[in-house]
Structure formats: C-alpha cells, structure tokens
Amino acid sequence: MLHCRQFTNVPIEPMPTELTTEHVSALAPDTASLKAGQKLANARTWVSLGRSEQALWGECKGSSATPYRTQIDLAAGTPATRCSCPSRKFPCKHALGLLLLYASAPQQIDEQPQPPWMAEWIESRTKKQAAKEEKPAEKTERSTEATAKRTSTREARVAAGVQDLCRWLDDMLRQGLVVAQQQPHSYWASMAARMVDSQAPGLARLVRGLGEAATSGQGWQDRLVARMGRLHLLLQASTRIEAFPPAAQADIRTALGWTYPREELLAQEGTRDRWAILGRSLSEDEGLRTLRTWLRGERGGQPALVLEFAAPGQPLDRSLVPGTAIEADLVFYPSAAPMRAIVKQLHETTPRAPRPAGGTSDQALAAAAAILSASPWQETFPALLADVTPALAGEVWQLIDANGQTLPLARQFERGWQALAISGGQPITVFGEWDGERLLPLGAWADDGWVSLVEER
C-alpha cells in the first residue's frame, strides 16, 4: 500500500501558464531539496511520465522496490503536490524534479489520459474544493454568543497584561539603562512569556526586541530607548483605544497581536492593479517562520506586504515570486497606513516583469516618514531605490544614490560583494527594507532580471 502525504496549503497566486524553472525553484523548501530535484529533472530517472491540461504525474525510481508515485495538480494555481516517498518536505525532491522537467522540457512528457491513481486524487481534490466554496451556514445564536464571550475574555487578559507590562517598564526605567543592559536572556524571555499568557503576542515580540536592542553593541542605548518609547506609546494608546479613529484602533489592535479573519477580508472589495513583486525575506521568531513578500502597484504606486506563516515542519507558500508581476485584486488589512494585504483574485501573471522605476534615498525616507506618522508602530518600510551604487566604507556596506546621499546597510547583510559584482561599479536598482536606521537589501535588477540578495532557506 502506498503511504502518501499531500501539500495542502491554500494557494495565493496561481503559477503562470508559462511555467519557468525560476518559479519552480522558488517553491523549494530548501537548497538541498532543490539540488536533489534538479538531479531528477531527467526523463531517464522516471519509469513513467504523463500530463494533461490540469495535471502532471510520474513514477520515479527510488530505493524501494515500488517506484514512487508523484502527483501534481496545476489547476488550482500554485502546484499542489503529492508523493508516495517518505520525505516530510513539501514539495519533495520528486515533485520538484517533475516540475523542473516540465518547465524546461515539456515535450519529454506526453499528453495522455490520467491513470486511475491520478484521476482519483484529482477528483478528490475537486470535491474538497467545491465543498470549501459552498456558502457557509449562518452562525447560530449560540456560536455568536460563544465568540463574543471568548473575545471579552481575551480583552480582559490583554488589558491585565498591558498593566503588568506598564509596571515592568516603569521598574526598568527607575533602575536605569545600564541595569537593563546587564540583564540575562531569561529576564526578557520571562516577561515575553507572560505576554503570551495574556494573549498579547505582539507585546511579547516587542519585549524580546528590547532584549535584542540591549545587547546590540555600539549605540545600544539609543536603540533601546527608541524601542522602549514605541512600546510605551502602544501601551498608553491601548488603555484609551476608544478615543482613536477606527483605522488607528485597528493599528493598535494589530500591534497588540489581534488578527483579522481571512474570510472577513475576502468579503471586501479588492484594489485592482498590476502588482510588481519586488522582494521577500524570511525570518523566524520562537519557532514560527514568517515570509514577507513586498509588492507595489504599477498604476497606483501603493506598496503591499503579504505575510505567510508556518509552524515548525510546515511548508510556506512561496508562490509570489520576486521579479514577476501579477494583475490582481488585493484586499488590505484595516490600518491608518494600509500595507499588509492578501490576494483576493488573480487575473494574469507576467513571469518576467520589467525593471520597476525606483526613487532616491530622500524619497524613500520621506515615504517611510509618512507611513510612520500615520501608524507609529510600523517597524519596517519598503524602499525601491534607482541609480544606487554599492560601496564599502570601512567595514560597513552602503548604497550611494545619484545625489550623493548614502544609506547604511544592515549589519546582517552578507552579500555586499555580490551586490557590487551585479552593479559592476555602475548604478543599479535595489529593493530593500528600511528599519529607521539601516537598509536590508532583498534584491537587485541586473541585465538579465531580478537577483536575490538574501538567503531564504
């Protein structure tokens, strides 16, 4: 009997009709899986291969007596994969190999009727999708009351956590910054855990950020005071949240850690534009991985940030590929400075988008200041810079624009020499995240298209 596991993530962006190896590579969970998949992108390693308008399938030679059956559904957009191999990675190397083979040499996979084991899986997926799209039944009065009770209970816990954190922050200020800087990791971790218990994960993250600032090296005092001030502002705002406009209330609740149901967002009207996908970064906090993908509307100029989360062992949806563009409807989360969004409907995908038009350093900083003035708890800001040249000043990498203005790059940025090689000493276009002090470059545009400047895997 075949023991199969299935990649069941909810797709955000359908893959383009003209599937490219770049798009397939972006789906790989790590570098090792991609390299292993590239070795299997050869028809000779497959016992059988087939494709239809909707799907790909194949049987691959493996270590067991029975070939591994690999199944791929292309109809849903982002390829959904299933394989009988024992790997716990999604997609596995067999699925990546089959996708890479199809992207690079589709003529080697003949069109033919689906075998029974493939047709049964596709039919099962179609039925499940149809069930999801059925209009959900209206909530009963009992379920509505239960939801209201849970919300009220959580609000009380968050309010108690806010008061607890206010006292803790006051004690820290009375003792002085030097004492705070000498505290062990457990000091910050303990308070962060108390905020998690108070159901305020946003506050927990900010507390951990204080600990990071206190041990961040030269200039730590300024960074710690700035983060303490931002946290104090949030705590005070949360105690009088009803006095703020609805959009500002949404920002406060988001900063505390409240989330918005995806279903409610999808019920709203979207903003249609041709969205250039500029770059993405991967981070991890307490085991939770977060993939941040930045877009910009080519007609309206609106920045957008799509977040994907994954617990340990779970796959991330990497279907928004930098260097491409999508014609799509995006729905933005409530905010005084809307940036975070989800893709509601995709209309068209451009696999290789042209280089976007960037601005100067002063323009990027002015845009960040405008966002910050509307929503003080934003921590990172998109910066698309045109005609900048990478340069090394002592031990610090920086970007120099056409006006001679410089932006220092993040300390964790490790690809300065790669950026310099891409530029050849000439001005290039770079996209990155600005944190108020330094820029973390995520990608650059060379003659042959977009090039990543970060390690995601």
Side-chain angles (χ1 to χ4, degrees), residues 218-267:
Q218 185 177 0
W220 65 270
Q221 301 94 329
D222 292 340
R223 288 186 286 275
L224 179 56
V225 168
R227 294 195 182 193
M228 291 173 66
R230 187 181 296 116
L231 177 56
H232 175 74
L233 182 64
L234 174 60
L235 296 175
Q236 294 303 309
S238 69
T239 62
R240 50 179 67 89
I241 188 171
E242 299 299 332
F244 292 90
Q249 291 184 27
D251 284 326
I252 295 170
R253 291 175 67 84
T254 297
L256 292 173
W258 291 85
T259 58
Y260 290 86
R262 183 182 179 89
E263 295 76 15
E264 292 184 11
L265 292 169
L266 291 175

Side-chain angles (χ1 to χ4, degrees), residues 289-307:
R289 292 184 299 152
T290 303
L291 186 65
R292 303 163 53 86
T293 305
W294 290 95
L295 304 85
R296 189 181 72 167
E298 294 185 359
R299 294 189 288 271
Q302 169 70 34
L305 174 63
V306 175
L307 300 181

Side-chain angles (χ1 to χ4, degrees), residues 273-279 293-305 324-326 330 332 355-359 382-385 429 431:
D273 205 331
R274 186 172 185 270
W275 302 92
I277 304 176
L278 303 176
T293 305
W294 290 95
L295 304 85
R296 189 181 72 167
E298 294 185 359
R299 294 189 288 271
Q302 169 70 34
L305 174 63
T324 68
I326 57 173
L330 267 60
F332 288 83
R355 180 181 316 203
L384 181 60
L385 305 169
T429 299
F431 175 78

